[in-house]
Amino acid sequence: MQRVGTPLPIGHRSRSPPCSLLGAVVLVRGAQGDDVREARAGGAAHVVLCEEEASRHLQTEMDAQRALELLHMTVFSQSVSPCGKYLAAGNNYGEIAIFSLSAALSSEAKEESKKPVVSFTAHDGPVYTMVSTDRQLLSASNGEVRAWNWSDIVKKGCKEAWSRRPPYRSSLEVPEINSLQLNPKDNSLLLAGGDCAVHVMDLESGTFTHKFQGHSDYVHCLALRDQFQECLSGSEDGTVRMWDLRTGAQVQVIEVHKYEECSRPQNGKWIRCLATDCDWMVCGGGPALTLWHLRSVTPTTVFPLPPCQQHVMFYQDLILSAGHSPTINHLQISGEIRAQIPCTPHSVHSLCINEHSPEHKVLTAAGSSHKVDVFTNFSYRAFSLCFA
Amino acid sequence: MSSDTSKKRKPKVIRTDGAPQETKRSRAETDQDVKYYSEEAEVELRDPSKDYELYKQTCQELQRLMAEIQDLKSKGSKDSAGAIEERRIQSCMHFMTLKKLNRLAHIRLKKGRDQTHEAKQKVDAYHLQLQNLLYEVMHLQKEITKCLEFKSKHEEIELVSVDEFYKEAPPEISKPDITLNEPHQQTLARLDWELEQRKRLAQKYKECLANKEKILKEIEVKKEYLSSLQPRLNSIMQASLPVQEYLFMPFDQAHKQYETARHLPPPLYVLFVQANAYGQACDKKLAVAIEGSVEEAKALYKPPEDSQDDESDSDAEEEQTTKRRRPTLGVQLDDKRKEMLKRHPLSVTIDLKCKDDSVLHLIFFYLMNLNVMTVKTKVTTAAEMTTPISAGDLLSPGSLLNCLYPGDHGKRTPNPANQFQFDKVGILTLNDYVAELGHPYVWVQKLGGLHFPKDQPQHTVSADNSLSASHMEMTMKLLRTRLQSRLALHKQFASLEHGIVPVSSECQHLFPSKVVSRLVKWAALPYEDYLELSYTKDVVEAGLAEDTHLYYMALVERGTAKLQAAVVLNPGYSSMPPIVSLCLTWKGEKTNSNDDNIRAMESEVNVCYRELCGPRPGYQLLTNQLQRLCVVLDVYLETESHDTSVEGPKEFPQEKMCLRLVRGPSRMKPFKYNHPQGFFSHR
């Protein structure tokens, strides 16, 4: 730091208190009067110094605030870019951070490369869910879905491409969007959330074409059953419903909590996660994670996992699931638990496998932590990407 | 004449070849001549060379005779006996002659000796005389050189130059007609002139002395007058004090302080000046004073300061000696430590008065040998306050000013050079002495204008006014804020301990009117205990819990549900929010690691603290946080879904108005209170 102003001569015999006192007064409140004008420059410099000090103080306050935010951060959603090199993660503060998987996975990866390449505030509320089309990243929060061009994001220009709001009834509260599901066949987007309905939006025109109503509580999750042009939705009301995408009619209702095999009344009846493989569906939440045969609508396997599961997916001949425990479960169709891999978050909200790029094929897990775990080999945690 | 005759006779006798009668006659003659005859006299007359010839002749004669005798003997004829007899007589004669010659020779030798002796004595006498003369000559020569080298006194006297002399001296003294040609006279004249001048000057000197005496007397008189004036002035000053006070013009005091300030060491002086200046310019409630003994300070500066180097040298020497003398080592080190940690006898006190009349007393010391400043603190409150048990550390001198600036805990010395000094006397860290000496916070050094660079250990550090000035305003503000926030906390703790969470009217809108959960306990928590709690792990790992912080445990209860809240109070409260970690005991133990809603409750209290700050400067933050904790516990308990499999009524019927009970993927409960509608919603 450069010091400005002439230091007063300090000697035990050669000082004159009244004079230096005057100088000091000037330093504090700025010059007043002609006789002390030359001291003004020094005074101004000190004002700058004080401001610097104050701003540094403010900075530490900001740092403390951010530290608290990190401490209480929950990462709800993830999505991999179409090129497979980037991972977007959205947290409860409405921020989306873009991590470079290629940098973090490269051999000369440093601590710095595990931090976001860019991060921006996308929504006012938490970023509950995200999907990627071949050009855009779609993120959803309270009552609104927004699109961001991947080409812009990579160049660190984070400008919203468009935003849409499903037609909601007016209410005190804006319903949240809990799940987004792309339907590539007719280029449409399925949205579901707080208003207990599933909306279908045409990505071409941006218009909402269908609204599937029937759930009595908000919808947690969606899954697409390609071959049948059907869509599944799991809800807080404890049901999984199947919808015909063409007509919008409700095909089937499975009241999961009513089946004794999987019902767990102490946890509630909510269905938090589901995945489908045409004939098979796996769903979990309050009830135990269960594999269903859809055609016969019977629970075939109940997985012995006491904690509530929050994300489930088919992967090759395995089922991967995670939830209210700091583990990622590898399950076999037969009902055996093949492995439970420890991870950082106490509660895992989303799992994501990068299928777009073979050399960056990793499993990422995010949840109630500011760290996103990366599994290169699915059987152990390689490292964590951190929000900053 | 007689001797002449005897002499003449003698050779005759000798020459006459040994006729016995003649020998008889000559004997008779010699008997006759005894009175006159002296061989000594005879010697005079005889020629030694002739004697020598005679001697040689006699010897030859003798040899011949001997040879003839031998011949005769060897012939052994009878007739030879007579010849031998004759020859024997002849040889006897010759022996006689030889004897005579021998005597003569003896006499001559004696004579010669006497003569030589006589001559030698004469020579000796002459030599002595010569020596004396030489000595005399030398002495005289010495005398002459002495005379030549003699210096007259007048040469030492500085005389005016010749030109000046002729110009200035009157002619009766200078007498140019005589002196111009005669240097001796000239010198005499000049000396005369010098004498004259000196006499005049002596006269003048006397006059001056008299004058001085007179003036001294005058001064004495005036002094007496002045000293009689002092008490009178004093009494006038004394009389004027009430007027000064009445007019808020403490000139007198200020002046005294400046006088004392002269004896302050530079850093304290800088602090004094700057604090005074700041107080006069911007902050009327700031009072600066100097305490301590001025006399001691004066004494300190009388001997020239021993430089640090000397001391360290002597230290090294002493160390060597102490190695030999083991038993006194401890005592010596102790003394040395004391010496090193010595404070300057003067200290600066700053009293910061707050709006509610409570005062923060800061006493600044200067450690002379370490070149750092320390501060001690004391708080006096306006009204007598009952001290809550948990508030023990709040106003304690040790923690009151902890981390005024981030990381500035005042336990280590800010002067990097000190570490080397400590090593020498075996001080591990200054921390052990902080209670006695006061805390060497970095901001204190800055107020004193001492700037210590972090990276280079040795650097000349001098007190700098501008540094002090630049930090004064900020620091004073921070100090006052700190005191006020601590006092506010102090008050709040008192009611918290009684289970009452004070909520001011300004903050009523933040909470619903009916809050069922109650705070039942509020207590301080040791740092070690905090670290051991299972549910504080995340906070500790995030580096938000340091040993400089204050820790408390709050217990909130409603029915069978007990919520433990471990609170970290940052010293920078309230700009730095307290951090709460929760553990709910109700149907099992729930913490942020197994329940997202507990995590959300923590976040509601910790992250969304800005809306809880209340009226500026936000001293009600902690109580508001605790109140919110009660509210969110209510929400948590009331909205917990009822397990349909269990018989009986819900323990906590839902009384709160909620838009939705759960929301979002993490099934969050509606923790956010909306005023004035009074319903709860999700954040």
Side-chain angles (χ1 to χ4, degrees):
Chain A
M1 194 187 294
Q2 192 191 355
R3 283 191 222 125
V4 194
T6 50
L8 294 165
I10 305 291
H12 278 277
R13 320 207 189 282
S14 67
R15 57 160 87 116
S16 54
C19 168
S20 51
L21 201 62
L22 178 66
V25 171
V26 170
L27 292 185
V28 172
R29 66 174 169 192
Q32 295 175 341
D34 293 345
D35 49 340
V36 287
R37 181 166 293 161
E38 67 277 7
R40 190 177 292 181
H46 287 298
V47 170
V48 173
L49 266 179
C50 289
E51 277 173 6
E52 261 176 40
E53 189 65 40
S55 74
R56 205 178 315 142
H57 215 69
L58 203 67
Q59 188 59 44
T60 55
E61 264 177 55
M62 297 291 281
D63 288 348
Q65 162 91 30
R66 186 60 185 168
L68 281 173
E69 282 183 3
L70 287 176
L71 184 66
H72 292 94
M73 188 179 284
T74 303
V75 180
F76 282 114
S77 53
Q78 308 176 70
S79 181
V80 178
S81 68
C83 61
K85 286 180 186 165
Y86 295 95
L87 176 75
N91 68 15
N92 57 331
Y93 304 113
E95 295 164 349
I96 293 177
I98 309 296
F99 297 97
S100 168
L101 285 177
S102 53
L105 288 168
S106 73
S107 52
E108 62 262 19
K110 290 184 285 285
E111 238 3 81
E112 211 41 44
S113 47
K114 287 159 191 170
K115 297 257 189 274
V117 183
V118 60
S119 85
F120 55 96
T121 303
H123 295 275
D124 293 334
V127 183
Y128 287 126
T129 176
M130 289 195 290
V131 288
S132 284
T133 67
D134 48 3
R135 283 190 306 111
Q136 288 178 324
L137 172 72
L138 309 181
S139 66
S141 176
N142 289 341
E144 201 165 38
V145 57
R146 290 183 179 171
W148 318 82
N149 289 326
W150 270 111
S151 54
D152 292 345
I153 289 171
V154 169
K155 287 180 217 142
K156 305 186 181 181
C158 302
K159 232 183 100 216
E160 177 186 312
W162 49 263
S163 79
R164 289 285 180 280
R165 177 183 282 264
Y168 292 128
R169 288 188 312 262
S170 62
S171 110
L172 257 179
E173 189 210 38
V174 181
E176 80 279 12
I177 296 170
N178 286 329
S179 186
L180 293 177
Q181 181 67 50
L182 279 176
N183 182 7
K185 272 204 178 141
D186 55 0
N187 195 22
S188 65
L189 178 72
L190 305 172
L191 312 86
D195 63 344
C196 314
V198 180
H199 296 270
V200 183
M201 187 183 105
D202 183 24
L203 280 175
E204 199 74 46
S205 60
T207 53
F208 289 89
T209 51
H210 289 287
K211 183 179 180 186
F212 311 147
Q213 280 176 301
H215 280 297
S216 60
D217 209 332
Y218 72 95
V219 183
H220 272 292
C221 49
L222 290 172
L224 204 61
R225 206 175 167 209
D226 285 337
Q227 287 159 338
F228 296 89
Q229 281 293 302
E230 280 175 5
C231 135
L232 278 70
S233 62
S235 161
E236 180 73 17
D237 63 8
T239 62
V240 173
R241 290 171 199 250
M242 266 182 275
W243 312 90
D244 188 309
L245 285 174
R246 287 158 294 196
T247 61
Q250 182 174 313
V251 180
Q252 196 150 31
V253 183
I254 307 172
E255 288 179 282
V256 179
H257 65 279
K258 295 211 169 139
Y259 291 82
E260 263 181 37
E261 302 95 307
C262 52
S263 156
R264 290 190 297 195
Q266 72 276 16
N267 288 340
K269 56 188 182 178
W270 44 280
I271 301 295
R272 169 71 180 87
C273 56
L274 68 92
T276 179
D277 186 18
C278 289
D279 283 345
W280 300 94
M281 172 191 84
V282 60
C283 70
L289 191 70
T290 318
L291 183 70
W292 293 75
H293 187 242
L294 280 183
R295 228 171 278 172
S296 60
V297 195
T298 45
T300 51
T301 317
V302 178
F303 297 101
L305 293 170
C308 304
Q309 296 303 297
Q310 303 201 99
H311 197 104
V312 67
M313 65 202 299
F314 286 97
Y315 175 69
Q316 293 166 357
D317 57 345
L318 284 178
I319 293 168
L320 302 183
S321 83
H324 286 167
S325 65
T327 55
I328 291 167
N329 309 307
H330 293 212
L331 309 167
Q332 278 176 325
I333 307 287
S334 60
E336 281 172 50
I337 298 175
R338 194 159 164 210
Q340 288 192 305
I341 315 299
C343 62
T344 312
H346 295 304
S347 159
V348 181
H349 282 287
S350 77
L351 298 174
C352 177
I353 294 175
N354 180 8
E355 308 268 16
H356 297 291
S357 158
E359 68 267 31
H360 301 139
K361 182 168 177 179
V362 290
L363 170 68
T364 53
S368 56
S369 166
H370 66 281
K371 292 178 177 174
V372 179
D373 284 354
V374 178
F375 301 79
T376 45
N377 179 327
F378 286 8
S379 55
Y380 69 92
R381 186 180 72 91
F383 58 89
S384 299
L385 303 167
C386 299
F387 272 77
Chain B
M1 195 59 136
S2 64
S3 69
D4 276 354
T5 54
S6 69
K7 272 173 195 173
K8 274 171 192 168
R9 252 186 202 175
K10 193 98 192 233
K12 270 178 199 166
V13 171
I14 292 164
R15 251 173 257 150
T16 53
D17 293 338
Q21 71 261 50
E22 253 192 330
T23 324
K24 277 176 191 167
R25 204 197 47 191
S26 76
R27 193 173 291 161
E29 270 178 1
T30 39
D31 285 335
Q32 273 187 341
D33 289 341
V34 160
K35 293 172 192 168
Y36 310 103
Y37 177 74
S38 128
E39 257 187 338
E40 279 90 350
E42 196 189 344
V43 169
E44 302 277 312
L45 301 175
R46 289 181 74 96
D47 189 355
S49 53
K50 273 179 189 162
D51 282 351
Y52 178 58
E53 286 300 316
L54 182 64
Y55 166 69
K56 270 203 262 178
Q57 244 172 26
T58 316
C59 284
Q60 274 169 5
E61 235 12 68
L62 215 58
Q63 267 174 336
R64 191 183 48 86
L65 285 173
M66 287 301 162
E68 278 173 10
I69 290 170
Q70 182 141 13
D71 275 347
L72 287 175
K73 282 228 176 147
S74 58
K75 278 173 189 166
S77 61
K78 290 251 191 163
D79 56 334
S80 63
I84 292 169
E85 186 65 22
E86 193 190 336
R87 279 177 181 89
R88 201 176 55 116
I89 294 167
Q90 280 178 2
S91 34
C92 279
M93 290 306 291
H94 283 299
F95 273 120
M96 294 292 285
T97 314
L98 276 179
K99 261 192 176 175
K100 172 79 176 173
L101 282 175
N102 185 30
R103 243 186 349 266
L104 286 177
H106 269 291
I107 291 168
R108 238 183 232 132
L109 178 67
K110 193 181 170 252
K111 226 182 211 165
R113 236 183 228 158
D114 286 349
Q115 274 174 353
T116 317
H117 184 70
E118 214 171 302
K120 191 184 165 238
Q121 268 187 337
K122 224 183 245 169
V123 168
D124 278 352
Y126 284 135
H127 187 73
L128 192 67
Q129 209 175 348
L130 176 68
Q131 288 279 332
N132 285 340
L133 287 174
L134 275 177
Y135 180 76
E136 207 170 332
V137 165
M138 219 165 64
H139 180 73
L140 287 174
Q141 272 173 343
K142 245 188 219 167
E143 286 292 304
I144 289 167
T145 46
K146 228 185 238 174
C147 288
L148 284 176
E149 278 171 9
F150 173 76
K151 282 212 164 133
S152 168
K153 263 234 165 120
H154 84 271
E155 281 173 45
E156 287 168 18
I157 301 170
E158 277 184 51
L159 296 174
V160 291
S161 70
V162 179
D163 294 345
E164 219 174 306
F165 166 69
Y166 280 117
K167 218 187 279 169
E168 287 179 4
E172 61 264 30
I173 289 172
S174 64
K175 291 176 200 153
D177 46 332
I178 309 169
T179 55
L180 272 174
N181 306 321
E182 260 184 81
H184 182 67
Q185 287 298 326
Q186 189 188 38
T187 314
L188 281 177
R190 282 171 73 189
L191 284 171
D192 279 345
W193 175 232
E194 186 68 28
L195 179 66
E196 181 66 30
Q197 275 183 315
R198 289 196 179 201
K199 270 182 189 162
R200 281 187 211 167
L201 285 174
Q203 185 66 29
K204 216 182 215 172
Y205 171 68
K206 254 183 209 163
E207 278 169 27
C208 286
L209 267 185
N211 206 9
K212 186 188 160 196
E213 202 68 22
K214 213 170 81 188
I215 291 169
L216 271 178
K217 256 179 206 164
E218 266 175 53
I219 288 173
E220 201 65 33
V221 171
K222 281 182 180 167
K223 254 188 188 167
E224 249 168 60
Y225 171 70
L226 280 176
S227 60
S228 71
L229 202 59
Q230 180 70 27
R232 268 192 285 168
L233 279 175
N234 275 349
S235 62
I236 292 174
M237 293 267 272
Q238 209 66 38
S240 77
L241 272 182
V243 183
Q244 285 188 19
E245 249 166 65
Y246 181 72
L247 296 172
F248 297 110
M249 292 187 295
F251 300 120
D252 204 33
Q253 249 185 334
H255 187 70
K256 258 187 216 159
Q257 279 203 341
Y258 296 150
E259 271 307 306
T260 328
R262 286 179 172 279
H263 302 290
L264 286 173
L268 284 180
Y269 182 77
V270 168
L271 171 72
F272 172 75
V273 169
Q274 294 298 340
N276 225 336
Y278 175 71
Q280 285 181 10
C282 312
D283 197 339
K284 295 286 178 223
K285 288 182 172 176
L286 183 132
V288 187
I290 298 168
E291 279 180 9
S293 151
V294 182
E295 299 309 314
E296 274 181 54
K298 272 183 196 165
L300 204 61
Y301 284 105
K302 254 175 201 165
E305 269 183 281
D306 281 340
S307 71
Q308 208 67 39
D309 294 341
D310 293 355
E311 199 173 280
S312 65
D313 281 354
S314 65
D315 274 3
E317 281 166 28
E318 267 174 53
E319 242 170 18
Q320 284 179 344
T321 55
T322 48
K323 267 177 197 164
R324 272 173 249 143
R325 286 177 281 147
R326 280 270 155 197
T328 55
L329 187 69
V331 183
Q332 275 197 344
L333 266 183
D334 231 38
D335 285 352
K336 256 191 260 177
R337 276 179 212 156
K338 257 180 212 160
E339 176 61 30
M340 183 161 288
L341 299 172
K342 214 168 141 191
R343 297 195 291 222
H344 193 271
L346 289 179
S347 57
V348 172
T349 63
I350 295 183
D351 290 355
L352 272 173
K353 212 182 264 179
C354 296
K355 274 173 205 144
D356 59 349
D357 278 349
S358 49
V359 185
L360 175 65
H361 305 279
L362 298 167
I363 310 165
F364 293 89
F365 298 102
Y366 177 60
L367 304 185
M368 292 178 288
N369 291 327
L370 299 180
N371 193 24
V372 291
M373 290 171 70
T374 59
V375 68
K376 276 190 174 180
T377 51
K378 218 184 91 190
V379 176
T380 45
T381 46
E384 196 59 42
M385 289 207 296
T386 53
T387 306
I389 307 153
S390 57
D393 275 348
L394 277 183
L395 296 177
S396 78
S399 81
L400 178 63
L401 300 180
N402 226 339
C403 301
L404 194 63
Y405 289 90
D408 187 5
H409 48 63
K411 286 178 180 170
R412 276 208 322 261
T413 166
N415 186 351
N418 288 165
Q419 204 48 54
F420 302 114
Q421 294 173 296
F422 288 163
D423 287 348
K424 218 169 250 177
V425 296
I427 298 176
L428 284 180
T429 152
L430 194 61
N431 199 7
D432 307 336
Y433 301 88
V434 153
E436 185 191 338
L437 299 173
H439 290 262
Y441 297 112
V442 175
W443 60 264
V444 179
Q445 321 306 320
K446 288 192 173 158
L447 286 191
L450 296 173
H451 179 71
F452 298 107
K454 287 278 180 211
D455 40 2
Q456 58 218 75
Q458 285 287 3
H459 187 78
T460 45
V461 181
S462 60
D464 183 355
N465 257 346
S466 55
L467 178 68
S468 172
S470 63
H471 281 82
M472 184 61 71
E473 186 169 8
M474 185 73 183
T475 306
M476 286 303 152
K477 270 187 192 159
L478 284 173
L479 282 172
R480 186 160 287 153
T481 316
R482 172 62 61 87
L483 176 65
Q484 280 174 339
S485 74
R486 285 296 166 95
L487 287 173
L489 280 176
H490 199 265
K491 254 188 234 162
Q492 290 166 0
F493 280 16
S495 60
L496 287 179
E497 279 188 359
H498 291 97
I500 301 158
V501 181
V503 178
S504 68
S505 55
E506 295 101 320
C507 303
Q508 287 294 352
H509 67 276
L510 292 170
F511 311 106
S513 51
K514 189 182 176 193
V515 181
V516 188
S517 300
R518 284 282 162 252
L519 178 75
V520 291
K521 198 182 116 194
W522 173 259
L525 185 73
Y527 178 51
E528 295 74 24
D529 292 4
Y530 181 87
L531 292 182
E532 275 173 22
L533 293 174
S534 60
Y535 47 95
T536 56
K537 222 175 77 194
D538 288 345
V539 179
V540 175
E541 274 171 11
L544 295 170
E546 290 165 32
D547 61 346
T548 52
H549 297 181
L550 301 167
Y551 296 90
Y552 299 95
M553 175 63 83
L555 185 63
V556 180
E557 276 188 7
R558 180 177 175 182
T560 56
K562 288 182 169 52
L563 181 70
Q564 282 182 308
V567 183
V568 185
L569 194 69
N570 193 305
Y573 177 85
S574 60
S575 57
M576 299 295 218
I579 303 168
V580 174
S581 307
L582 300 178
C583 174
L584 176 66
T585 318
W586 184 60
K587 296 182 181 173
E589 200 161 89
K590 294 174 183 178
T591 66
N592 62 15
S593 59
N594 60 13
D595 193 331
D596 277 346
N597 274 309
I598 298 289
R599 200 157 181 267
M601 282 160 72
E602 286 179 1
S603 140
E604 193 72 23
V605 174
N606 293 341
V607 181
C608 309
Y609 70 93
R610 288 200 186 279
E611 57 203 54
L612 295 172
C613 286
R616 286 183 66 79
Y619 295 142
Q620 297 173 27
L621 176 58
L622 179 70
T623 50
N624 285 347
Q625 281 183 313
L626 289 173
Q627 180 70 0
R628 175 169 278 184
L629 207 55
C630 296
V631 173
V632 293
L633 178 63
D634 278 354
V635 173
Y636 181 92
L637 295 175
E638 288 177 20
T639 56
E640 190 63 19
S641 61
H642 187 55
D643 186 349
T644 47
S645 64
V646 179
E647 293 296 316
K650 282 176 81 171
E651 186 184 354
F652 306 109
Q654 190 186 332
E655 290 166 350
K656 305 267 183 294
M657 204 173 15
C658 301
L659 286 181
R660 279 167 63 185
L661 292 185
V662 284
R663 185 177 195 262
S666 53
R667 306 188 71 244
M668 220 45 78
K669 293 168 187 286
F671 290 122
K672 186 184 169 193
Y673 176 71
N674 292 278
H675 185 80
Q677 296 89 338
F679 65 89
F680 283 84
S681 68
H682 290 83
R683 195 169 284 281

